[in-house]
Amino acid sequence: SEVEELLIQAERVLEKWEPVWTTFLSAPVREEALKMFDEISDIGYFSSGGFPSAERQRVQIHPKEETHIVGPEIIPISAIKVEGNFLFDKTETKDFLIALVKDGIAIDQIGDIWITGDRGAEAICTTNAANSLENSQSLIRDVEIKYKSISLNDLKLPLQRVPKTLTTIEASKRLDAIASAGFGLSRAKIGVKIKEGRVRLNWSSTNNGSRSLNKGDQIHLEGRGSIEIISIEQTKRSRWKVEL
């Protein structure tokens, strides 16, 4: 598994006493890996995905006693712009992911991808991937696209939301009820999102809107960010007071 491979990398770090970078890790794999590294006394780590709220990130594993000051100029992460005219052909991030893989880039070399209006998308990737794609052309369906390397500083990042806390009273602890309140969408709309696979619970896909939630659970909605249950308590009227 991916986590087992990361453990092997950690062992190599201890053997050679030199830092290594992982490929891009999904959020659930990264969370599991960092918990594992926390239990290894001689291992330290640093994680980056190109911007603060990136979901997919690379992790530098290094000997804990060594001091590693990691600046933007030495993080092995680059960015590309995928240009095309999608005014009459609406796209999703998965369309660009499929194109990148078709054009020879392995999934573990790709970070986050986001749409930039009707003119294409931007993506985080490894430096080698960016170099191999530079100025090349391809297709997404019938639309011609061109890849162009850009600076991380020039990215038009997806909306960065400021964390806020809210409290809601719900009739149940169901995923659809709490997600509806947390994301400010109707119960019907959040139900559709769940069925479409756009909602993840603790970073795992789910299509079960009736699933009961507990304190500490995290819900991620594609394009809308994440919410976490800070506390959940039953009221005297047998409803549920939920702090998010």
Side-chain angles (χ1 to χ4, degrees):
S1 69
E2 288 183 85
V3 175
E4 290 173 343
E5 178 58 33
L6 293 171
L7 182 57
I8 292 173
Q9 285 185 284
E11 291 173 348
R12 290 173 183 163
V13 168
L14 295 177
E15 288 175 4
K16 297 184 178 180
W17 211 245
E18 295 177 352
V20 299
W21 283 92
T22 69
T23 55
F24 281 99
L25 306 177
S26 64
V29 170
R30 187 179 74 252
E31 290 293 322
E32 189 174 349
L34 297 189
K35 289 178 182 177
M36 178 180 67
F37 295 154
D38 283 336
E39 296 177 358
I40 304 175
S41 58
D42 293 330
I43 285 292
Y45 56 81
F46 169 82
S47 183
S48 177
F51 60 98
S53 61
E55 180 177 322
R56 291 176 60 81
Q57 299 189 18
R58 300 188 74 175
V59 177
Q60 186 201 63
I61 313 170
H62 59 255
K64 204 165 191 177
E65 293 181 2
E66 297 291 319
T67 300
H68 291 275
I69 301 174
V70 183
E73 69 282 356
I74 61 173
I75 298 175
I77 291 175
S78 295
I80 55 172
K81 179 182 289 188
V82 189
E83 299 176 320
N85 185 354
F86 295 97
L87 182 61
F88 302 106
D89 192 349
K90 187 176 179 181
T91 55
E92 298 181 355
T93 55
K94 67 179 181 181
D95 296 317
F96 294 93
L97 175 61
I98 291 170
L100 286 166
V101 172
K102 176 177 64 70
D103 293 328
I105 308 302
I107 288 179
D108 63 9
Q109 304 299 303
I110 304 169
D112 283 13
I113 303 172
W114 57 95
I115 304 294
T116 54
D118 57 18
R119 292 295 175 178
E122 292 178 345
I124 301 294
C125 61
T126 62
T127 301
N128 286 341
N131 290 339
S132 69
L133 291 170
E134 175 67 6
N135 292 326
S136 64
Q137 296 182 341
S138 187
L139 289 172
I140 292 181
R141 294 187 288 275
D142 295 327
V143 177
E144 293 184 356
I145 60 172
K146 182 177 181 179
Y147 295 109
K148 179 182 178 182
S149 294
I150 57 174
S151 166
L152 293 173
N153 294 326
D154 293 332
L155 289 170
K156 297 178 181 178
L157 293 171
L159 179 64
Q160 306 294 295
R161 294 176 174 80
V162 177
K164 64 179 180 179
T165 302
L166 63 90
T167 301
T168 180
I169 304 295
E170 301 298 327
S172 72
K173 299 195 296 179
R174 287 172 57 115
L175 168 62
D176 52 8
I178 294 176
S180 171
F183 292 113
L185 296 175
S186 70
R187 189 79 167 263
K189 286 184 178 179
I190 204 70
V192 171
K193 300 290 187 184
I194 292 172
K195 290 180 180 178
E196 290 177 342
R198 298 176 184 272
V199 175
R200 282 178 286 172
L201 177 60
N202 298 322
W203 297 107
S204 296
S205 298
T206 180
N207 56 9
N208 183 6
S210 64
R211 185 164 175 176
S212 182
L213 303 187
N214 296 291
K215 177 182 176 181
D217 281 340
Q218 296 183 30
I219 309 167
H220 179 85
L221 174 58
E222 184 178 311
R224 294 291 293 266
S226 301
I227 57 177
E228 179 178 356
I229 299 178
I230 300 172
S231 66
I232 185 165
E233 300 174 350
Q234 194 166 27
T235 68
K236 293 180 179 179
R237 297 185 178 182
S238 297
R239 294 169 69 83
W240 295 94
K241 180 181 179 181
V242 186
E243 187 179 11
L244 303 169

